[in-house]
Amino acid sequence: MFDAVVRRIAVGGYIDEVPASRLAPLRPAPPAAVAEAEELAGRSLPSLLRQLYLEVGNGGFGPGYGLLGLRDGHRTGGLDALTGLKGGVLTLCDWGCGISSELNLADGQIWGYDPNPAPDGVSCTFPQHMTIVDWFSKWVEGTLYQPWLVQDPTTGEWRGATDTEYAEMIEEAFGPSGPED
């Protein structure tokens, strides 16, 4: 997966929401920044994420507004991946409008956070049912969608949208060609 991510970055436009002309050169994270993150989290980063930070860039590539960096790395809205690191949950990226993707380092699962449609008393955090490898695989393939909190039409429960639901919502909003329509 590491090589696939590097190939995706090499073709340009390595942050989905930022024009290529505005992208800064990538600089790997210093080993001390990775060690600090692992110490704060109380556990090691997943090997793919660790390798990307150490060999590709201290954030600044990937979905949304880019993978958040560690100490002195890529920031979005004043946040880096260590901001709010608590209970072993690392914020991966900002999608805008308060939406983010997070990695639970204890079990390796990706969680979404979407505060926008949730009524009072409903958790804005929900499982995305993927690992960091799945997350980057979907980004490389162009099939990673931002986390989106929806109310299940059958049960009334709030949960993360499935890929199918997300695709249907995009088609309904923009037509069959998507947002470029």
Side-chain angles (χ1 to χ4, degrees):
M1 176 48 44
F2 176 81
D3 292 337
V5 172
V6 171
R7 278 192 302 277
R8 172 67 163 45
I9 292 167
V11 299
Y14 48 84
I15 298 179
D16 294 341
E17 301 295 329
V18 179
S21 62
R22 294 187 49 214
L23 295 173
L26 295 174
R27 290 188 172 79
V34 173
E36 176 190 21
E38 291 177 333
E39 183 177 329
L40 288 170
R43 61 187 72 242
S44 297
L45 297 178
S47 59
L48 173 62
L49 187 58
R50 187 176 215 283
Q51 186 178 13
L52 289 168
Y53 277 131
L54 290 171
E55 297 180 31
V56 175
N58 193 356
F61 59 91
Y65 289 99
L67 180 71
L68 292 172
L70 305 174
R71 181 75 55 220
D72 298 324
H74 177 69
R75 298 174 72 82
T76 302
L79 304 175
D80 63 21
L82 301 179
T83 305
L85 177 61
K86 55 189 176 299
V89 176
L90 186 76
T91 303
L92 293 172
C93 81
D94 175 15
W95 293 90
C97 297
I99 301 168
S100 62
S101 290
E102 302 172 348
L103 172 63
N104 183 329
L105 294 170
D107 63 11
Q109 292 300 300
I110 302 290
W111 288 73
Y113 179 83
D114 180 4
N116 298 301
D120 288 342
V122 171
S123 176
C124 302
T125 305
F126 47 91
Q128 294 274 245
H129 308 292
M130 65 179 105
T131 66
I132 192 74
V133 172
D134 302 328
W135 193 72
F136 273 112
S137 293
K138 286 175 162 257
W139 177 67
V140 165
E141 295 164 359
T143 60
L144 180 65
Y145 300 115
Q146 76 178 37
W148 197 338
L149 187 66
V150 297
Q151 189 172 24
D152 189 289
T154 305
T155 66
E157 297 288 321
W158 288 88
R159 59 171 173 73
T162 64
D163 287 350
T164 301
E165 289 170 325
Y166 192 92
E168 288 170 356
M169 287 185 262
I170 293 298
E171 184 171 337
E172 183 178 307
F174 299 103
S177 299
E180 292 82 38
D181 219 8

